[in-house]
Amino acid sequence: MNEKAFFGRYWPGTSPVHRLDPRTKLLLSLAFMIIVFLASGWIGLAVCAVFTLFFYVLANIPLIQAARSIAPLLFIVVITALLNVFFVQGGTIYFQWGIICISEAGLAHAAFISMRLILLLLGVSLLTLTTTNLDITEAFERLLAPLARIGFPAHELAMMMGIALRFLPQFALELRTVYRAQASRGAQFTANPFRGGATSLSSLIVPLFASAFRHAETLSSAMEARCYHGGVGRTRLHPLAFARQDVIAVGAMACMLATVIAANILQGIIF
């Protein structure tokens, strides 16, 4: 298992994207997802793909690393595509056997949804690749700070999100370690439940959950030993501050939105 294939791993760099305020990147990532959903045709998705490629080039992140970062989540794309192939019907029928029917509309819709999901994963991955977990947590907390005045647990929610992001690569490493340890003991892993698949999976899941609970207990003990009491009175070494590059980034996202809307109008005129 390649350690670079973990979703959520930070890619160090000093690119313009890395230097953006994490609040800007968090908000623009949300805007990016909305824009991708606004793309109603292939022309709009092509525009989103071009902008995504431009953002990755600007961040100096190799495309192979981008593919590795979303590889663990591609099963979501595959499952969604298969559901669309079998449940969306229309146009020419290419294969039919009983209730299983593969048609032209199903394949076209599956391809479109798959491309949209891949772009969404790439957009979210760019955020985690160019922003540390601490910066994402702080940005999330600062954005929710106005709600804290009415009793919303902004700091606690941000802390939980930060811990979850931090432990995604950790759990992947633990899974690799447990897998190799069990394989060295002669365990045979198979996906067939009738051939010991359930037993082999339990030999992975049980130690993985035990390790997760052990890490959680260690973390809680460390927080208690340091007299952790939330975000009250905390200071920051590097306070967040908006700069000129954040305004430029917002302008680039606005340009992407305008281009996608124009592409939707153009596709409506053509078709």
Side-chain angles (χ1 to χ4, degrees):
M1 184 182 299
N2 195 330
E3 293 185 4
K4 295 182 180 180
F6 299 151
F7 184 83
R9 182 176 293 276
Y10 175 66
W11 183 269
T14 58
S15 69
V17 180
H18 285 82
R19 295 196 301 268
L20 289 175
D21 189 282
R23 292 171 295 178
T24 302
K25 285 188 278 189
L26 198 60
L27 292 174
L28 291 184
S29 297
L30 179 61
F32 176 85
M33 291 188 287
I34 295 175
I35 293 172
V36 171
F37 276 111
L38 286 178
S40 59
W42 284 105
I43 299 178
L45 278 187
V47 171
C48 294
V50 170
F51 272 90
T52 304
L53 178 62
F54 170 74
F55 294 148
Y56 270 92
V57 172
L58 190 63
N60 291 327
I61 296 178
L63 294 181
I64 186 65
Q65 176 60 30
R68 287 171 176 171
S69 65
I70 67 172
L73 300 179
L74 286 181
F75 73 94
I76 300 176
V77 179
V78 174
I79 293 175
T80 305
L82 290 177
L83 290 176
N84 281 273
V85 167
F86 293 128
F87 288 100
V88 177
Q89 305 297 329
T92 305
I93 297 177
Y94 298 112
F95 176 81
Q96 186 169 10
W97 183 63
I99 61 174
I100 299 176
C101 180
I102 300 177
S103 64
E104 180 182 3
L107 293 176
H109 201 260
F112 183 81
I113 293 298
S114 299
M115 179 59 65
R116 173 178 282 173
L117 288 177
I118 290 174
L119 289 175
L120 290 174
L121 291 176
L122 287 174
V124 176
S125 180
L126 183 62
L127 171 66
T128 58
L129 285 170
T130 59
T131 316
T132 62
N133 293 335
L134 289 177
D135 287 341
I136 295 177
T137 303
E138 185 176 357
F140 190 73
E141 181 182 354
R142 292 287 295 274
L143 291 174
L144 294 179
L147 298 178
R149 299 177 181 178
I150 59 175
F152 186 80
H155 175 75
E156 289 75 11
L157 187 61
M159 182 187 65
M160 289 189 294
M161 186 192 70
I163 293 174
L165 288 174
R166 172 62 185 86
F167 278 95
L168 278 175
Q170 182 66 33
F171 286 155
L173 285 172
E174 290 287 343
L175 178 60
R176 183 187 65 173
T177 302
V178 172
Y179 178 86
R180 290 180 175 177
Q182 298 292 51
S184 67
R185 294 181 176 91
Q188 300 292 330
F189 298 100
T190 175
N192 191 342
F194 300 102
R195 295 183 178 179
T199 304
S200 61
L201 287 178
S202 65
S203 65
L204 287 177
I205 294 176
V206 173
L208 185 62
F209 271 86
S211 176
F213 288 128
R214 185 174 64 253
H215 282 300
E217 184 177 0
T218 302
L219 179 61
S220 63
S221 300
M223 293 172 69
E224 290 180 359
R226 290 168 174 80
C227 300
Y228 178 81
H229 57 276
V232 179
R234 291 186 61 195
T235 59
R236 293 173 174 82
L237 180 61
H238 301 289
L240 299 182
F242 293 109
R244 184 177 62 178
Q245 61 263 23
D246 297 295
V247 179
I248 297 175
V250 172
M253 193 60 62
C255 180
M256 178 181 175
L257 174 60
T259 309
V260 169
I261 293 176
N264 290 340
I265 296 174
L266 178 61
Q267 180 155 333
I269 295 175
I270 294 176
F271 297 99

